[in-house]
Amino acid sequence: MNEATRNSYRTGPDERGHFGIFGGRYVAETLMPLILELDQAYEAAKADPAFQGELKALHATYTGRPSPLYFAERLSAHLGGAKIYLKREELNHTGSHKINNCLGQILLARRMGKTRIIAETGAGQHGVASATVCARFGYPCEVYMGATDVERQKPNVFRMELLGAKVHPVTAGNGTLKDAMNEALRDWVTNVETTYYMIGTAAGPHPYPAMVRDFQSVIGNETREQMLAAEGRLPDLVIAAVGGGSNAIGIFHPFLDDPDVRIVGVEAGGHGMHVYNGHAASLNGGKPGVLHGNRTYLLQDDDGQILEGHSISAGLDYPGIGPEHSWLNDSGRVTYVPATDQEALDAFQTLTKVEGIIPALESAHAVAEAIKRAPTMAKDEIIVVNLSGRGDKDVFTVGKILGVDL
Amino acid sequence: MSSLPVTRIDTRLAKLKAEGRAALVTFVTAGDPDADTSLSILKALPGAGADIIEFGMPFSDPMAEGPPIQAADIRALAAGQTMVKTLEQVRAFREGDNETPLVLMGYYNPIYIYGVERFVSDAKAAGVDGLIVVDLPPEEDEELCLPAIKAGVSFIRLATPTSDDKRLPVLLRNSSGFVYYVSVLGVTGVKSAAAGDVATAVARIKAHTPLPVMVGFGVKTGDQAAGIAAHADGVVVGSALVNAVRDSLVDGKATGATVKAVTDLVADLAAGVRRGRA
């Protein structure tokens, strides 16, 4: 191993799926043979030019990649500091970054000979992307979604149904993403021989965190090239919202070994970090534990029972975070900060009014951090914000809070 | 195996083997429906016919459990159950029973947060004989399995229909006490396996290990227990027992009928196990 490799932040995980103490494979024995098979199948696919070629071709004509890197000139002027660029993942087919991962995983599921797809979803973006690729490739699709989320993300539920998926509302717990993931795991244990579990974020047992990161790294790889073309240099600051953390690891990973690029992940601060169980900021308000197949930072009580957490954004309303983010947090390479529901709502409205772009409430957390930081930075400094999803799905939620009856 | 000290599990299973019958392994959730009733149930199990006790450590997110044990965990946590209380109940049970093997079963996070070294030491001191931790496959043996063995606590592994001849040696490495064969693909308390499939699977596992094989998942009645007992070293029953707790409650609270509801079912299951090889 040469010096450059040893100093890299990009070589993880190890062969057992560990990023430092985080990651791993904490699953029921029933699933282990399949998890090991998945690991081998993914390693083979990753090295297969035909697999990568098919994915690239689909991205070009089906997803609409590369997604643009847009200079938000009016927002930059409005804030009076750094130049802000938006990586326009919200323009992808299905309206978010989730399609990047789903296309990769459906090709893998087909390669493995699986005949049925299951997925969990919070905001419904991953559920819609899963249902979409299942329609495109002719697979039956069943999506587990917390009953609370079914209620607050109705447009996405209907989209999934139109795409031919069956949506199972999950009433256990608080009826949010954590409970949906439990139920998807129960389905998987029951139907492991036929079923491919399409996990939507860079979490779960190895190889999911690394695999989902790899599929999402197309975001950061494009951003690098586009930024070099636009400005002739790398950005000073990259910002992304973090729930499970797939859009964030996707844009962060290609920049991890560029020491001059500061990287900030924005967690859901909910009602505020001082409110017990009132936020979904695992790194800022949790501690390491084991859930859903990996060790990572979790919101939990003193007895190791998992808390539900809260966020205005269904996609960030999860008590854990991908294990690589936990490692990047502890290693100090990435800084993770919270943004409250109110800050996200304000950012949602600002971006909509100033740039004519309605962001997803998830992505609005990243915009909120840019709004805080840009005025403190010089005019020749550059921020890139990953605009991971569009906000059409959130207009009912936002309308309700603003007192508008839709 | 022979180098390990003789445990309550080994002693009990050797005795049953000499009697020529299968073991009844009963699962109840610690703290369900409340701490006092749970301790009364625990103390009543051996007298009702339980040969080995699995005591569930409740967890907020029991990923491999069906609705009955999910609900039992929620009841226990709502009543204020903690790991400290679970270990206290084991200690209280041991004051009156130094022979019946007791195995703690659950998920890793509450143990991890309690602290692994502290947990294995406190569990051993309280009188725990073995551990079954659903989300710790052999790939993660350094976490808890090896510290438990070092402390003299057996680590009991789940074998499943997906455990093929390549996988079985991996999962049997470092396992002791007995093997718990999960006889169907799925969560607890839903489906049950056909007796013929059980016989084949038990024979396959026994080709890889001298350990006794207990079979569970979906066993609800004495007759079902008898069918399984004909082909296995023991029968595990859990969801049916926590459902008996549930059905005895009024407004979510224990009643005078709660302990008896469990012991009546245990007695029926014990009779079934005893006629299994008759």
Side-chain angles (χ1 to χ4, degrees), chain B residues 109-134:
Chain B
N109 197 55
I111 296 170
Y112 179 69
I113 294 303
Y114 189 91
V116 167
E117 291 301 329
R118 177 182 166 221
F119 175 78
V120 294
S121 152
D122 288 0
K124 178 71 182 171
V128 170
D129 302 296
L131 301 175
I132 303 176
V133 183
V134 177

Side-chain angles (χ1 to χ4, degrees), chain B residues 33-233:
Chain B
D34 61 71
D36 289 346
T37 310
S38 175
L39 180 58
S40 300
I41 291 171
L42 183 61
K43 286 178 171 173
L45 287 170
D51 298 305
I52 297 177
I53 293 169
E54 288 180 6
F55 205 36
M57 300 171 280
F59 183 45
S60 53
D61 296 78
M63 278 90 70
E65 311 304 335
I69 295 176
Q70 287 178 46
D73 283 11
I74 290 168
R75 288 194 296 270
L77 293 173
Q81 188 70 10
T82 61
M83 187 65 87
V84 168
K85 288 185 186 175
T86 299
L87 293 173
E88 275 171 10
Q89 287 160 357
V90 174
R91 202 173 302 118
F93 170 80
R94 272 283 166 254
E95 284 169 11
D97 185 326
N98 199 29
E99 288 177 4
T100 306
L102 187 146
V103 173
L104 288 179
M105 180 165 183
Y107 293 79
Y108 183 43
N109 197 55
I111 296 170
Y112 179 69
I113 294 303
Y114 189 91
V116 167
E117 291 301 329
R118 177 182 166 221
F119 175 78
V120 294
S121 152
D122 288 0
K124 178 71 182 171
V128 170
D129 302 296
L131 301 175
I132 303 176
V133 183
V134 177
D135 53 354
L136 282 180
E139 280 73 7
E140 307 291 350
D141 269 357
E142 288 89 350
E143 294 281 343
L144 177 65
C145 173
L146 299 181
I149 291 170
K150 201 173 153 208
V153 176
S154 296
F155 203 81
I156 292 149
R157 206 80 78 178
L158 303 171
T160 79
T162 61
S163 311
D164 56 18
D165 288 332
K166 188 171 145 224
R167 182 68 184 166
L168 279 169
V170 177
L171 71 92
L172 290 166
R173 189 185 62 212
N174 295 331
S175 69
S176 50
F178 57 87
V179 178
Y180 181 164
Y181 178 61
V182 171
S183 58
V184 294
L185 293 176
V187 294
T188 49
V190 183
K191 293 184 290 186
S192 57
D197 293 345
V198 168
T200 309
V202 169
R204 199 162 57 77
I205 295 166
K206 280 183 173 292
H208 290 271
T209 180
L211 291 172
V213 179
M214 309 294 159
V215 176
F217 273 47
V219 182
K220 298 181 178 70
T221 66
D223 287 342
Q224 277 178 299
I228 302 282
H231 305 289
D233 298 305

Side-chain angles (χ1 to χ4, degrees), chain A residues 184-197:
Chain A
L185 283 164
R186 290 179 184 125
D187 180 313
W188 201 22
V189 165
T190 309
N191 301 294
V192 61
E193 281 157 345
T194 59
T195 299
Y196 184 93
Y197 181 13

Side-chain angles (χ1 to χ4, degrees), chain A residues 300-331:
Chain A
Q300 53 185 320
D301 70 13
D302 293 339
D303 213 43
Q305 307 297 339
I306 310 303
L307 300 174
E308 296 283 347
H310 159 82
S311 171
I312 188 176
S313 143
L316 303 183
D317 206 345
Y318 179 69
I321 185 169
E324 193 165 8
H325 287 294
S326 292
W327 178 72
L328 290 169
N329 177 72
D330 283 13
S331 69

Side-chain angles (χ1 to χ4, degrees), chain A residues 323-395:
Chain A
E324 193 165 8
H325 287 294
S326 292
W327 178 72
L328 290 169
N329 177 72
D330 283 13
S331 69
R333 175 62 186 97
V334 178
T335 304
Y336 295 87
V337 298
T340 64
D341 287 353
Q342 189 59 53
E343 288 167 337
L345 262 176
D346 292 346
F348 177 96
Q349 293 175 85
T350 299
L351 189 68
T352 301
K353 286 187 176 140
V354 175
E355 291 288 351
I357 297 172
I358 304 178
L361 278 172
E362 291 77 18
S363 320
H365 286 72
V367 176
E369 183 63 16
I371 289 172
K372 284 182 210 169
R373 292 200 182 224
T376 71
M377 293 167 67
K379 286 193 164 125
D380 60 353
E381 290 191 285
I382 301 169
I383 300 174
V384 176
V385 176
N386 194 14
L387 204 68
S388 55
R390 65 177 176 234
D392 309 43
K393 69 186 175 61
D394 293 313
V395 296

Side-chain angles (χ1 to χ4, degrees), chain A residues 53-115:
Chain A
E54 186 172 10
L55 182 57
K56 195 168 184 202
L58 281 164
H59 273 328
T61 59
Y62 191 70
T63 310
R65 300 211 72 91
S67 68
L69 183 68
Y70 167 72
F71 174 41
E73 196 174 353
R74 290 244 302 152
L75 180 65
S76 304
H78 175 74
L79 296 170
K83 292 174 83 168
I84 298 174
Y85 281 82
L86 304 176
K87 178 60 173 166
R88 303 284 308 272
E89 288 297 299
E90 101 283 7
L91 292 178
N92 293 341
H93 181 41
T94 75
S96 81
H97 69 291
K98 294 293 188 187
I99 191 82
N100 302 332
N101 170 42
C102 289
L103 274 175
Q105 289 203 49
I106 195 84
L107 293 180
L108 185 61
R110 189 183 63 184
R111 203 180 157 99
M112 293 176 72
K114 298 296 175 184
T115 56

